[in-house]
Amino acid sequence: MKWIYDRYKEKAIVERMSSLKTLVVGANGQIGKHLVSFIQDSDGIEAKAMIRKQEQASFFENLGAETVLTDLENDDIDTITKAAEGVDAIVFTAGSGPHTGKDKTIMVDLDGAVKTIEAAKAAGVKRYVMVSSFDTTRQAIQDAPESFAPYVAAKHYADEWLKATDLDYTIVHPGGLTNDKGIGTVEAATEVDRGEIPREDVAKVLLETLKNDATIGKEFQIVTGTTPVEEAVKSV
């Protein structure tokens, strides 16, 4: 009977994947652009790119991806909820970066994240993948340099808000981000030694995370390593 169950489970996964439409929040960022490109090249998944300006749309339209104009900082939850209608998953790739002012950090990395989490709940979107910072523990906030601590704190509380929901969440904690070309191999685990990772490889991890329901309810760190991305994600 096990083979019947396995076939049924495999069929269910295929059917879910065949309708997996994903809203990429922060799509015009570097990770977001890579992710939309990878999604559009992947069978059974399609992207909906959330962008702030109409002039950003052509990049995504050339990939065959749908776009939706929404301002993460200034639009309310109802507006973001409308942007999330009709999707099966949300990936939050937006970020102010650690070198912007505290106000921008709060509005994007904390309030923006929380608004999309609440919008996911309101729109009935269960799957939510968060791109966080490498270490967002309370200790990391205390240990961070003064200029970096607000960013870590914002990420910490956004992560905690997500974990307190009943969403099918995954939190990905990338190491230091670079613009190097991705190599397709990473190290992924609950805790890894601090290191760097190309944004392109982060996007590859996000795609595999979307494909793998075993990542639901988990959070893990990623840096450049020697394990192929798909295998690394399966091991977390």
Side-chain angles (χ1 to χ4, degrees):
M1 296 295 292
K2 184 177 182 300
W3 70 270
I4 296 177
Y5 171 77
D6 289 343
R7 289 291 298 276
Y8 174 79
K9 184 177 179 182
E10 181 179 313
K11 182 174 181 291
I13 291 173
V14 169
E15 288 176 348
R16 181 183 65 80
M17 291 298 297
S18 68
S19 62
L20 189 62
K21 188 169 187 177
T22 302
L23 178 67
V24 179
V25 179
N28 200 57
Q30 295 179 72
I31 292 175
K33 282 184 172 180
H34 284 305
L35 179 58
V36 173
S37 297
F38 292 147
I39 287 175
Q40 292 303 103
D41 285 340
S42 183
D43 291 337
I45 313 181
E46 58 180 316
K48 183 178 184 181
M50 191 171 120
I51 55 177
R52 290 181 61 191
K53 301 175 182 178
Q54 184 59 46
E55 54 263 36
Q56 298 169 344
S58 60
F59 175 87
F60 304 101
E61 291 170 350
N62 289 337
L63 296 173
E66 181 183 352
T67 61
V68 57
L69 283 174
T70 308
D71 189 325
L72 182 63
E73 289 183 67
N74 298 309
D75 285 342
D76 59 18
I77 293 172
D78 288 343
T79 302
I80 299 172
T81 298
K82 291 177 182 177
E85 289 176 352
V87 306
D88 307 287
I90 294 174
V91 183
F92 187 89
T93 70
S96 65
H99 305 299
T100 57
K102 296 178 183 178
D103 54 346
K104 191 84 166 179
T105 297
I106 292 297
M107 296 310 296
V108 175
D109 298 285
L110 178 53
D111 189 54
V114 169
K115 286 192 293 187
T116 61
I117 292 167
E118 292 303 300
K121 292 158 60 176
V125 181
K126 288 289 290 182
R127 190 72 171 105
Y128 192 106
V129 179
M130 173 77 81
V131 179
S132 186
S133 187
F134 183 73
D135 186 351
T136 58
T137 59
R138 286 294 317 170
Q139 188 63 48
I141 300 172
Q142 295 173 343
D143 293 343
E146 183 178 355
S147 61
F148 191 62
Y151 177 75
V152 180
K155 291 294 190 183
H156 168 81
Y157 286 107
D159 291 351
E160 291 301 307
W161 191 284
L162 178 58
K163 287 187 282 187
T165 70
D166 63 353
L167 297 178
D168 292 339
Y169 73 85
T170 306
I171 302 173
V172 179
H173 298 272
L177 299 171
T178 75
N179 291 325
D180 297 335
K181 183 171 178 55
I183 61 174
T185 56
V186 300
E187 181 181 359
T190 303
E191 292 186 16
V192 301
D193 290 336
R194 189 176 290 274
E196 295 184 335
I197 184 169
R199 289 176 171 84
E200 185 176 358
D201 281 338
V202 174
K204 291 177 182 177
V205 169
L206 296 174
L207 177 63
E208 292 303 323
T209 298
L210 281 170
K211 292 180 177 180
N212 191 341
D213 281 353
T215 62
I216 290 173
K218 295 181 179 179
E219 56 182 314
F220 55 91
Q221 296 175 331
I222 52 170
V223 295
T224 293
T226 58
T227 306
V229 167
E230 182 177 0
E231 183 181 336
V233 171
K234 286 180 178 178
S235 71
V236 298

